[in-house]
């Protein structure tokens, strides 16, 4: 039973949400197919296969580097549980996950770019030829910056689920570091690594903004960027459709392969006493761990500090007085608010329907199939990337008339879909706990419908709803993928304006606008997490 006395409203909401997504995605894919009716698919050339090869190659390297960096960081954080600043470092690892990709790219340019701090330091040492961040090295560096913290947090969560008695047993047996790693830590991490690797690989394979900003031309182009270039610069719809079809085929096959890996089983704590890691108390071990953590801290924090410093050097007063900046901020907010609301509404509808199906005693194959469809809806961002959806709708709207007149609603829905997995991740735990605690109380009091929502559900779920809304809006504010094809005078968002200023070599303006965008995202994140969580009635 879901959050209502009858499961029918919950199921109706879930069906409506699935129908909306199916209609929107189906229309985009149909438009891609219809575009080939008159012109046919463009033949795949050697260049196309080179782009596909590079897409998979950079994704594989990015995954290996991200996991290779995350493993020692997670192990050091798990061993050193009492050093000052541990929680701060763990929270710092969450910042790249919510940071707009374009801002992160600018921060990396400030550290590793031609005139960045690293090249300035090398020049001071007498190295005349600067390191180039553009091309494959820059793409790998940026992917590690965004994905290493994600892998670290997921691995650390797995290590912290190891029961406390395991560590006491290891200490009593006198196990060394290698024995602890082989017999205790590695079994816990090995169950998680395939899933983490699959997630990072998919994120890197469907990366758009980072490759667009840091790519080094035809030799460092992914499928998504090639689709964008085929429409935006060459205006070659058959080639764009062929590339989009190849992208869907590749992402579908990858998701199918990764779905074959079994989900890791979580080991519950059997002893709730504080965990003491005896293997992390030696001086040499502590120094080695602190060195690893210091490197991770500098790697993640340096671009963030550079973003703030470079933004403050810009003429913020002039930028804030610029009418183009005003329009870009207003457009970004006008897109982010409905996108966030739609994402939260879809997430709520899917979670309610899923709980209703799980609680249904008559659930058979049909119920399991619907649960699978609802779960799959949260992975659509990986299966059907934003650029593919935008391409389909761009081609359809081009047939109907002026593209820019219809662009805003399309971008809103695409951004809502991209934020849907994150909104559901915030909402689902709170809704499931609330459902378990209060369904019987609601039934005994005869509360249902709007009365239950007003008196019982909304007071308890208000905070996670606002949190999910703020995260969805922040993600939409920083998105460049959906608006890249539609970007014009009528739909100039703040990320698009930053990208345009960067492309016209007005990097100081881009730094200032990036700081403004980062502050806007930070404000929404802080608003969503403000206040204390109240205890629900039991």
């Amino acid at each position: 039973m879901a959050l209502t006395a009858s499961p029918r409203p919950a199921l109706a909401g879930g069906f409506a949400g699935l129908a909306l997504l199916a209609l929107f995605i189906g229309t985009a894919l149909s438009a891609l197919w219809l575009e080939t009716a008159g012109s046919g698919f463009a033949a795949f050339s050697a260049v196309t296969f080179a782009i596909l090869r590079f897409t998979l190659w950079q994704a594989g390297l990015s995954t290996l580097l991200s996991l290779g960096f995350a493993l020692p960081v997670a192990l050091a954080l798990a061993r050193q549980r009492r050093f000052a600043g541990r929680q701060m470092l763990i929270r710092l690892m969450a910042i790249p996950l919510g940071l707009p990709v374009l801002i992160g790219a600018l921060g990396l340019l400030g550290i590793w770019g031609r005139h960045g701090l690293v090249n300035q330091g090398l020049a001071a040492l007498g190295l005349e030829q600067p390191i180039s961040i553009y091309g494959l090295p820059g793409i790998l560096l940026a992917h590690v910056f965004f994905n290493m913290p994600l892998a670290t947090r997921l691995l650390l969560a797995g290590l912290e689920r190891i029961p406390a008695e395991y560590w006491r047993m290891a200490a009593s047996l006198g196990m060394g570091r290698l024995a602890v790693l082989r017999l205790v830590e590695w079994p816990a991490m090995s169950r998680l690594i395939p899933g983490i690797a699959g997630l990072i690989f998919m994120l890197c394979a469907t990366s758009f903004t980072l490759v667009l900003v840091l790519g080094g031309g035809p030799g460092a182009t992914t499928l998504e960027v090639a689709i964008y270039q085929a429409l935006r610069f060459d205006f070659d719809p058959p080639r764009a459709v062929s590339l989009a079809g190849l992208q869907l085929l590749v992402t579908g096959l990858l998701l199918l392969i990764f779905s074959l890996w079994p989900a890791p089983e979580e080991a519950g704590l059997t002893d709730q006493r504080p965990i003491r890691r005896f293997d992390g108390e030696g001086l040499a071990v502590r120094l080695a761990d602190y060195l690893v953590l210091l490197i991770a801290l500098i790697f993640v924090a340096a671009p963030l500090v550079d973003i703030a410093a470079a933004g403050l050097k810009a003429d913020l007063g002039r930028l804030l007085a610029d009418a183009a900046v005003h329009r870009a901020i207003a457009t970004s907010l006008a897109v982010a608010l409905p996108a966030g609301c739609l994402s939260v509404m879809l997430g709520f509808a899917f979670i309610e329907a899923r709980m209703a199906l799980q609680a249904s005693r008559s659930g058979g194959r049909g119920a399991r199939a619907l649960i699978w469809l609802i779960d799959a809806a949260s992975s659509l961002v990986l299966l059907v990337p934003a650029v593919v959806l935008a391409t389909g709708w761009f081609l359809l709207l081009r047939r109907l008339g002026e593209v820019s007149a219809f662009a805003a609603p399309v971008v809103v829905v695409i951004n809502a879909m991209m934020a849907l997995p994150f909104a559901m991740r915030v909402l689902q735990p709170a809704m499931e706990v609330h459902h378990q605690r209060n369904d019987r109380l609601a039934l005994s009091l005869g509360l249902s419908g709007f009365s239950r929502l007003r008196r019982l559900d909304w007071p308890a779920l208000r905070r996670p709803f606002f949190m999910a809304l703020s995260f969805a809006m922040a993600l939409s504010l920083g998105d460049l993928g959906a608006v890249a094809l539609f970007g014009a005078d009528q739909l100039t968002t703040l990320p698009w304006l930053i990208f345009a200023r960067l492309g016209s070599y007005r990097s100081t303006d881009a730094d200032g606008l990036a700081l403004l965008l980062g502050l806007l995202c930070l404000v929404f994140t802080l608003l969503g997490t403000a206040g204390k969580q109240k205890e629900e009635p039991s």
Side-chain angles (χ1 to χ4, degrees), residues 9-17 344-354 374 427 431:
L11 294 177
F15 280 126
V344 171
M345 290 170 60
L346 286 173
F348 175 77
F350 287 151
I351 295 167
E352 270 207 317
R354 194 180 191 283
I374 290 172
L427 287 174
M431 291 179 64

Side-chain angles (χ1 to χ4, degrees), residues 32-40 399:
L32 291 173
W33 178 261
L34 291 174
E35 188 65 28
T36 65
S39 55
R399 292 173 176 265

Side-chain angles (χ1 to χ4, degrees), residues 422-500:
F422 303 94
M424 290 184 66
R425 178 164 292 186
V426 173
L427 287 174
Q428 187 164 340
M431 291 179 64
E432 287 179 347
V433 169
H434 177 72
H435 146 75
Q436 293 169 1
R437 291 182 177 180
N438 298 302
D439 269 0
R440 291 186 178 181
L441 174 63
L443 290 175
S444 66
L445 296 176
L447 292 175
S448 62
F450 181 76
S451 176
R452 168 171 176 159
L453 176 65
R454 181 173 63 88
R455 296 177 179 274
L456 189 61
D457 295 337
W458 179 245
L461 297 174
R462 178 172 52 199
R463 185 173 184 270
F465 265 69
F466 280 123
M467 185 184 299
L469 176 62
S470 68
F471 287 166
M473 289 184 64
L475 289 169
S476 181
L477 276 172
D479 176 72
L480 182 63
V483 79
L485 287 177
F486 298 102
D489 292 338
Q490 294 85 353
L491 190 66
T492 299
T493 61
L494 201 49
W496 178 253
L497 184 62
I498 294 171
F499 182 70

Side-chain angles (χ1 to χ4, degrees), residues 249-269:
L249 177 63
V250 169
T251 53
L253 287 175
L254 289 174
L255 281 177
L256 179 61
I257 292 171
F258 295 142
S259 69
L260 299 178
W261 289 339
E265 297 179 2
E266 295 187 2
L269 290 176

Side-chain angles (χ1 to χ4, degrees), residues 166 169-181 183-184 278-279:
Y166 282 30
M169 179 68 71
S172 66
L173 294 175
M175 288 186 182
R177 288 185 62 188
L178 290 179
V180 169
L181 175 64
L183 298 175
V184 181
F278 296 93
D279 58 323

Side-chain angles (χ1 to χ4, degrees), residues 301-377:
L304 303 178
V305 173
D306 181 80
I307 292 166
L312 291 174
K313 291 179 182 178
D315 191 348
L316 295 177
R318 178 179 58 82
L319 290 175
L320 291 173
D322 189 345
V325 176
H326 296 168
R327 289 193 298 270
I329 293 175
T331 303
S332 295
L333 294 174
V335 170
L337 179 59
C341 292
L342 179 59
S343 182
V344 171
M345 290 170 60
L346 286 173
F348 175 77
F350 287 151
I351 295 167
E352 270 207 317
R354 194 180 191 283
M355 289 192 297
L357 290 167
Q358 286 178 328
S360 176
R361 295 181 179 180
S362 59
R365 292 183 179 178
R368 290 195 296 271
L370 287 174
I371 291 175
W372 181 86
L373 284 175
I374 290 172
D375 292 339

Side-chain angles (χ1 to χ4, degrees), residues 188-204:
M189 294 189 298
S190 62
R191 296 192 295 266
L192 299 172
I193 286 176
I196 297 172
L199 175 60
I200 294 175
F201 189 94
M202 288 299 300
L203 291 173
C204 296

Side-chain angles (χ1 to χ4, degrees), residues 52-104:
L52 173 60
R53 215 166 31 244
F54 179 80
T55 300
L56 300 178
W57 174 243
Q58 62 84 22
L61 287 178
S62 298
T63 303
L64 289 175
L65 292 173
S66 298
L67 277 173
F69 195 172
L71 281 168
V73 176
L75 288 169
L77 282 170
R79 273 193 297 264
Q80 308 303 329
R81 301 176 62 88
R82 293 181 175 84
F83 76 92
R86 182 177 186 269
Q87 288 303 316
M88 182 201 70
L89 182 56
I90 293 175
R91 292 191 181 100
L92 178 67
M93 292 291 177
I95 293 179
L97 308 181
L99 186 73
V101 175
L102 186 57
I103 297 179

